[in-house]
Amino acid sequence: MANTLVVEKAKTSKIHEVDFDNLSFGSTYTDHMLVCDYVNGEWKAPKIVPYQPISLDPSAKIFHYGQSIFEGMKAYKDRDGGVWLFRPLENFKRLNKSAKRLAIPELPEAYFMEGLTTLLQLERDWVPQNPGSSLYVRPFMFASGTGFHASPADEYKFIIACAPSGAYFSGKVKVLIEETYSRAANGGVGYAKAGGNYAGQFYPTQLAVEKGYQQVIWTDDNNHEFIEEAGAMNVFVRINDTLITAPTNDRILDGVTRKSILDIAKSEGIATEVRKISVKEVVEAAKNGSLKELFGAGTAAVVSPIAAFGYQGVDYDLPELENSYASLLKQRITDIQYNRAEDKFGWRYKVI
Amino acid sequence: MANTLVVEKAKTSKIHEVDFDNLSFGSTYTDHMLVCDYVNGEWKAPKIVPYQPISLDPSAKIFHYGQSIFEGMKAYKDRDGGVWLFRPLENFKRLNKSAKRLAIPELPEAYFMEGLTTLLQLERDWVPQNPGSSLYVRPFMFASGTGFHASPADEYKFIIACAPSGAYFSGKVKVLIEETYSRAANGGVGYAKAGGNYAGQFYPTQLAVEKGYQQVIWTDDNNHEFIEEAGAMNVFVRINDTLITAPTNDRILDGVTRKSILDIAKSEGIATEVRKISVKEVVEAAKNGSLKELFGAGTAAVVSPIAAFGYQGVDYDLPELENSYASLLKQRITDIQYNRAEDKFGWRYKVI
């Protein structure tokens, strides 16, 4: 397919307007994007076109019924100018899992993989080389079909856009363990990267920010008894020398970074446990000194260490460690991503 | 404000292309729409412009993070050509409740009410007069601000579009009481008219349709023990001569039709109860013959009678009643809506 992929090149490039030494996250876009339309019951062949506005009828279902999903990926440039992706097939598989749950037609693998690599080959100069920076890649899919009737759309768009980006967060964050609001229902869409999952988090996060926290630790919606996610990331807890994370289920996202960290930790000889973690256990571990680390894990931030958490009006500080699992695991995973170390797991994917 | 509202009229009208005797629901749009932009920290004055496509950057947050809400209303034409709304302030208040939960800035009341009435005065010829038909009015709001960062947008659009429409459903429906999937979490966004709430319902509804049902009865996400909503409507259960509906909470939409029906039922001398209804109670009532009616209630369908429900592999038929509450209440509420009867509740709102 790659040979037949239609590419309409931008007449001029915006790349010289970009300050690659001072990149924010996801707010500058490259010259091109991939577009693929689902019409008449099938996904048509993707095209690469200049990055441009999308025109939609006001009755397009994306505006009304929330049929939208996305993925987050990064392209990394190594010292020799080689460009790499990290486990892109995992993102493709999850995109289609999300699509199915949101009643969006699944995308053919070749459209995703060949479209993605062709786009990145074209945009290779946009992949930054500074430490911690990368080309953030955003595949997304939404309902473009029309009608004020609450039913799945008959037309969809799949787009891949790219944004050269610096690091997502800076510094350690203080988080609030949520006791009122929830991110996901049992039997709901929490495991999907559905737009609506994110919109629902903003207001509770704003309330947490007003109280002096930066993020929310989400708990189950039944009794707020178990820890589920941290902001828009999976969450890891280190008690003594054991690294624990919640099992994925229909409320928790099957994060690519989450499962990679589990594999790396095991290969480093770190004891890992995938099991439910109660808030009570974390609070008690904080009190008796066995709670060593808390961190979020996701594509954007990779690993986001937590400095303190609040629960029922009390703040609990995490210790400052010389050799944290968070920094070790972040080093190991980014060494693979940036082609600085052997890739014994076979996770790197050469773009060019 | 109405006097200063900028109106850009369409050069030609599409109204002569419309077959008002064969209207579907929400698939033909009028000549104009109201548009209001939130930029630089405030809602700018609304404008009426020709109905036209919306152009958005691919990084607009509506495509990624699900910040979208809507309302559903109808404008009704009486025999004398007068145009009426039904409790429009209730829709306005709910729009802002939804906005708050989705971290979208709240809209000034005057922008909503005067924008709405001015638009409908302009589109008065589009309000159909045939029995059961109306001008469906769709206010909606979404994140137009950009960025691949999971945080609230800094720009939004509020739009009102209108669609001359026939009846929403035809005939009685067969519904499945859901035991696996859920619509809403405790502490989630179920009470808001958020786009994501609808997208999450489509797949479970498709599964129910494959089994021979038309809609799903949603139950709580903890144990699927209590009845919450019917499809995208509130649900009413009649056991013997008592009409029961679930109390609103953070999972259940505070439906305008729902509360109007409760008030009308009381004024008709019908015993009403607002309380949790267990699936077990409904199944037992079906078995012992005390279950007389089940129906959905919402703006689009008004009242949608249910002919049968499925639960754990067994179908339970509802009796065919000569004088159902569903038909009585639908008659009473539509008599008020279409200005065919006295409006002792003060619900009608004259547009022109």
Side-chain angles (χ1 to χ4, degrees):
Chain A
M1 198 201 77
N3 292 334
T4 61
L5 185 63
V6 174
V7 177
E8 183 199 331
K9 280 203 185 172
K11 292 202 175 71
T12 57
S13 176
K14 301 167 294 188
I15 198 165
H16 302 296
E17 299 163 21
V18 178
D19 178 2
F20 280 85
D21 292 329
N22 292 291
L23 290 168
S24 59
F25 191 91
S27 55
T28 304
Y29 313 101
T30 67
D31 290 327
H32 301 90
M33 64 187 194
L34 182 92
V35 180
C36 191
D37 286 302
Y38 182 90
V39 284
N40 298 325
E42 63 171 358
W43 284 106
K44 304 293 178 191
K47 289 178 289 189
I48 290 173
V49 296
Y51 186 87
Q52 62 190 274
I54 300 162
S55 177
L56 292 167
D57 195 84
S59 68
K61 295 204 179 193
I62 176 64
F63 297 126
H64 307 275
Y65 303 121
Q67 277 187 292
S68 73
I69 56 171
F70 71 94
E71 279 297 322
M73 313 170 72
K74 286 175 171 176
Y76 307 90
K77 190 168 273 181
D78 67 22
R79 283 169 206 164
D80 304 322
V83 175
W84 304 86
L85 286 166
F86 183 73
R87 311 185 77 178
L89 263 176
E90 296 298 319
N91 294 93
F92 167 70
K93 286 183 212 157
R94 191 173 59 190
L95 181 81
N96 271 350
K97 267 189 206 164
S98 299
K100 188 172 178 185
R101 183 62 183 84
L102 276 290
I104 297 174
E106 293 170 56
L107 187 78
E109 182 179 320
Y111 285 12
F112 183 91
M113 289 304 296
E114 297 184 33
L116 174 65
T117 49
T118 308
L119 177 66
L120 292 177
Q121 284 159 8
L122 184 66
E123 304 294 62
R124 61 181 299 176
D125 292 343
W126 285 89
V127 186
Q129 212 162 7
N130 286 350
S133 66
S134 59
L135 185 69
Y136 185 74
V137 180
R138 173 56 62 90
F140 62 106
M141 221 184 245
F142 63 89
S144 51
T146 61
F148 296 153
H149 197 289
S151 57
D154 57 358
E155 297 189 357
Y156 297 86
K157 274 188 187 291
F158 170 65
I159 293 177
I160 305 179
C162 304
S165 297
Y168 195 76
F169 284 121
S170 53
K172 287 192 172 189
V173 295
K174 193 174 160 188
V175 299
L176 180 66
I177 296 183
E178 183 61 57
E179 296 175 80
T180 305
Y181 294 98
S182 306
R183 183 187 164 276
N186 301 299
V189 304
Y191 70 96
K193 275 191 91 74
N197 290 337
Y198 295 80
Q201 298 186 36
F202 295 161
Y203 176 66
T205 304
Q206 283 176 342
L207 297 180
V209 167
E210 284 167 16
K211 291 180 190 158
Y213 302 91
Q214 284 88 53
Q215 276 295 348
V216 164
I217 298 271
W218 298 104
T219 51
D220 65 282
D221 83 313
N222 290 12
N223 303 306
H224 301 288
E225 199 179 342
F226 296 97
I227 279 177
E228 304 213 316
E229 292 201 11
M233 292 179 281
N234 293 114
V235 63
F236 283 83
V237 181
R238 175 182 172 186
I239 293 180
N240 291 318
D241 288 339
T242 302
L243 191 63
I244 313 163
T245 194
T248 55
N249 56 27
D250 61 6
R251 296 185 310 277
I252 298 180
L253 194 79
D254 181 13
V256 178
T257 307
R258 173 189 173 279
K259 58 190 172 194
S260 303
I261 279 180
L262 280 173
D263 287 344
I264 293 173
K266 283 176 205 160
S267 81
E268 294 286 333
I270 295 170
T272 62
E273 290 178 9
V274 177
R275 62 166 173 85
K276 289 172 92 171
I277 314 158
S278 71
V279 177
K280 193 177 161 196
E281 180 181 1
V282 172
V283 170
E284 283 178 2
K287 284 181 182 166
N288 69 29
S290 61
L291 181 69
K292 304 298 184 193
E293 293 181 61
L294 262 181
F295 59 87
T299 294
V302 189
V303 168
S304 178
I306 292 165
F309 71 90
Y311 181 63
Q312 296 189 333
V314 181
D315 281 355
Y316 300 86
D317 288 327
L318 277 289
E320 290 274 353
L321 300 182
E322 288 257 332
N323 297 299
S324 70
Y325 285 176
S327 59
L328 172 76
L329 294 164
K330 182 171 182 175
Q331 189 64 48
R332 291 284 183 273
I333 194 168
T334 55
D335 280 351
I336 295 171
Q337 289 168 333
Y338 286 90
N339 190 25
R340 294 186 300 239
E342 187 202 350
D343 175 24
K344 65 179 176 183
F345 302 101
W347 288 337
R348 267 197 306 263
Y349 182 93
K350 178 105 186 177
V351 174
I352 192 162
Chain B
M1 197 201 79
N3 292 334
T4 61
L5 185 63
V6 174
V7 178
E8 183 198 333
K9 280 203 185 174
K11 293 204 173 68
T12 56
S13 175
K14 301 168 293 188
I15 199 165
H16 302 295
E17 298 163 20
V18 178
D19 178 1
F20 280 85
D21 292 328
N22 291 290
L23 290 169
S24 59
F25 190 91
S27 55
T28 304
Y29 314 102
T30 66
D31 289 327
H32 301 90
M33 63 188 194
L34 182 90
V35 179
C36 190
D37 286 301
Y38 182 90
V39 285
N40 299 325
E42 63 172 359
W43 284 105
K44 304 294 178 189
K47 289 177 288 189
I48 290 173
V49 297
Y51 186 87
Q52 61 191 275
I54 300 162
S55 177
L56 292 168
D57 195 83
S59 67
K61 294 204 179 193
I62 175 65
F63 297 127
H64 307 275
Y65 303 121
Q67 277 186 291
S68 73
I69 56 172
F70 70 93
E71 279 297 321
M73 312 170 72
K74 286 175 171 175
Y76 308 89
K77 191 169 272 181
D78 68 22
R79 283 169 207 165
D80 304 322
V83 175
W84 303 85
L85 285 166
F86 183 72
R87 310 185 76 178
L89 263 175
E90 295 298 317
N91 293 94
F92 167 71
K93 286 184 213 157
R94 192 172 59 187
L95 181 81
N96 272 350
K97 267 189 206 165
S98 299
K100 188 172 180 186
R101 183 61 183 86
L102 276 290
I104 297 174
E106 294 170 54
L107 187 78
E109 183 179 319
Y111 285 12
F112 184 91
M113 289 304 296
E114 296 184 34
L116 175 65
T117 49
T118 308
L119 178 67
L120 291 177
Q121 285 158 7
L122 185 66
E123 304 295 60
R124 64 182 294 178
D125 291 345
W126 285 89
V127 186
Q129 211 162 9
N130 286 351
S133 66
S134 60
L135 185 69
Y136 184 74
V137 179
R138 171 57 60 91
F140 62 107
M141 220 185 247
F142 63 88
S144 51
T146 61
F148 295 154
H149 197 289
S151 58
D154 58 358
E155 297 188 357
Y156 296 85
K157 273 186 187 292
F158 170 65
I159 294 178
I160 305 179
C162 306
S165 297
Y168 195 75
F169 285 121
S170 53
K172 287 194 173 187
V173 295
K174 192 174 159 188
V175 299
L176 179 65
I177 296 183
E178 184 61 57
E179 294 176 81
T180 304
Y181 295 98
S182 305
R183 183 186 164 278
N186 300 299
V189 303
Y191 70 95
K193 276 191 89 75
N197 289 337
Y198 295 80
Q201 298 186 34
F202 294 161
Y203 177 66
T205 304
Q206 284 176 341
L207 297 179
V209 167
E210 283 167 16
K211 290 180 191 157
Y213 303 90
Q214 283 90 53
Q215 276 296 348
V216 164
I217 297 271
W218 298 104
T219 50
D220 65 283
D221 82 313
N222 290 13
N223 302 306
H224 301 288
E225 198 179 343
F226 295 97
I227 279 177
E228 304 212 318
E229 293 201 12
M233 291 178 283
N234 293 114
V235 63
F236 283 83
V237 181
R238 174 181 172 187
I239 294 180
N240 291 318
D241 287 339
T242 301
L243 191 62
I244 314 164
T245 193
T248 56
N249 57 26
D250 62 6
R251 297 185 309 277
I252 298 180
L253 194 79
D254 181 13
V256 178
T257 308
R258 173 190 172 278
K259 57 189 172 195
S260 304
I261 279 181
L262 280 174
D263 286 344
I264 293 173
K266 281 176 206 160
S267 80
E268 295 285 333
I270 294 171
T272 62
E273 290 178 8
V274 177
R275 62 164 173 86
K276 292 173 90 171
I277 314 156
S278 72
V279 177
K280 193 177 163 197
E281 179 181 2
V282 172
V283 170
E284 283 178 3
K287 284 181 180 166
N288 69 29
S290 61
L291 181 70
K292 303 298 184 195
E293 291 182 61
L294 261 182
F295 58 87
T299 294
V302 191
V303 169
S304 178
I306 292 166
F309 71 89
Y311 181 63
Q312 296 188 333
V314 182
D315 281 353
Y316 299 86
D317 288 326
L318 277 287
E320 292 273 354
L321 301 182
E322 288 257 330
N323 296 300
S324 69
Y325 285 176
S327 60
L328 172 76
L329 294 165
K330 182 171 182 173
Q331 189 65 48
R332 290 285 183 271
I333 194 169
T334 55
D335 280 351
I336 295 172
Q337 290 168 334
Y338 286 90
N339 189 25
R340 293 186 300 238
E342 188 204 347
D343 174 23
K344 65 178 176 184
F345 301 100
W347 289 337
R348 268 196 305 262
Y349 183 94
K350 179 104 184 176
V351 173
I352 193 164

